[in-house]
Amino acid sequence: MDVKRVLILAFIIMGAVEVTAEFYALQTIIYLSKPWMMIILMLLLLKSVNLKTHRSNRFMLLALVFCFFGDVLLMIQPSSEGLFIAGLFTFLVGHLMYTYAFYLDTQTRFRSKWKSAHLLIPTLLVMHALLISSLMIDNLNGIMMVAVLVYVVFITIMGVTAASRIRDGYTLDRIMLLMGVLLFVFSDTLIGVTKFIDPDVPYARPAIMIQYLLGQILIILG
């Protein structure tokens, strides 16, 4: 078995452990397993691509680094609003790194003409952002409102940039990456719903992590 397959298998096993720990609220297991997710993906990326050949790959690696620190901050945040905002900011920077990597790897320039079929997913993403923002805004104030709304803007931009790559052709890698980004968006949406709209959504924590982990590995494999 080659190294890439071993890393993918390790990610699946560690992900299963983490999701199970989320389901049963086993906090110690979560602390031990969650940080390894991004470390394994960093190793998978390093094994799969040449950082010197394509600048976009370096920004993909930076995105994973910021996601790692975002995971750690949000993992320990329940006792501190400041840590939640710090985690939000760290993920925001990660989204910017992903967005720029997607842009660099897109052959059709973003500003060039879009066909109507290419506008469907970006339009739905913008509508989704407006809807979730309108639902959360009554429970936001001060710095938290600014942080959350700015975050929604930038994760939407990441989604639109990923969707714009489809204009280069409907290949498996582009579809996988777009699916990964959409799962990332859905995962963060559920976080927003449980924190600012309805904290009693059943099985929210394992659902968030399943979407997040699937999203991240699809982005890297794509």
Side-chain angles (χ1 to χ4, degrees), residues 4-201:
K4 288 202 301 185
R5 289 183 179 178
V6 170
L7 289 170
I8 292 171
L9 181 60
F11 183 86
I12 292 169
I13 293 170
M14 194 64 71
V17 170
E18 211 286 329
V19 170
T20 302
E22 294 284 358
F23 186 85
Y24 291 105
L26 304 174
Q27 207 60 40
T28 301
I29 303 298
I30 292 170
Y31 287 155
L32 291 173
S33 61
K34 192 173 184 181
W36 281 100
M37 302 290 90
M38 293 307 103
I39 294 174
I40 293 170
L41 286 186
M42 288 180 214
L43 294 173
L44 179 60
L45 181 68
L46 290 171
K47 185 62 182 177
S48 303
V49 301
N50 187 334
L51 297 183
K52 295 180 181 179
T53 305
H54 297 290
R55 197 155 54 112
S56 61
N57 294 330
R58 297 196 287 273
F59 284 96
M60 292 288 284
L61 181 60
L62 281 172
L64 289 174
V65 171
F66 280 101
C67 287
F68 168 81
F69 286 109
D71 277 341
V72 172
L73 288 167
L74 292 183
M75 183 172 61
I76 60 177
Q77 65 80 28
S79 60
S80 170
E81 182 177 284
L83 285 176
F84 179 81
I85 293 175
L88 212 63
F89 176 77
T90 307
F91 266 112
L92 187 151
V93 176
H95 294 329
L96 286 174
M97 297 297 102
Y98 269 144
T99 299
Y100 193 53
F102 301 160
Y103 174 79
L104 289 175
D105 197 45
T106 304
Q107 298 168 20
T108 305
R109 291 299 89 188
F110 189 86
R111 63 180 177 273
S112 63
K113 186 176 180 180
W114 290 59
K115 295 179 180 179
S116 57
H118 299 149
L119 289 169
L120 177 61
I121 292 178
T123 301
L124 291 175
L125 282 168
V126 171
M127 292 173 63
H128 171 270
L130 292 172
L131 175 61
I132 195 66
S133 297
S134 67
L135 293 173
M136 290 190 298
I137 200 163
D138 287 341
N139 296 314
L140 297 170
N141 54 69
I143 188 66
M144 184 67 79
M145 177 184 290
V146 175
V148 170
L149 294 182
V150 169
Y151 185 87
V152 169
V153 169
F154 279 98
I155 195 172
T156 302
I157 291 172
M158 181 181 76
V160 171
T161 307
S164 74
R165 298 175 76 252
I166 295 296
R167 296 179 301 158
D168 291 340
Y170 293 88
T171 58
L172 179 61
D173 60 330
R174 296 186 184 99
I175 292 171
M176 286 175 66
L177 187 142
L178 178 56
M179 288 175 61
V181 170
L182 292 177
L183 284 169
F184 205 147
V185 172
F186 297 152
S187 173
D188 279 358
T189 299
L190 190 49
I191 291 175
V193 168
T194 56
K195 189 165 183 68
F196 302 113
I197 301 172
D198 181 5
D200 298 319
V201 177

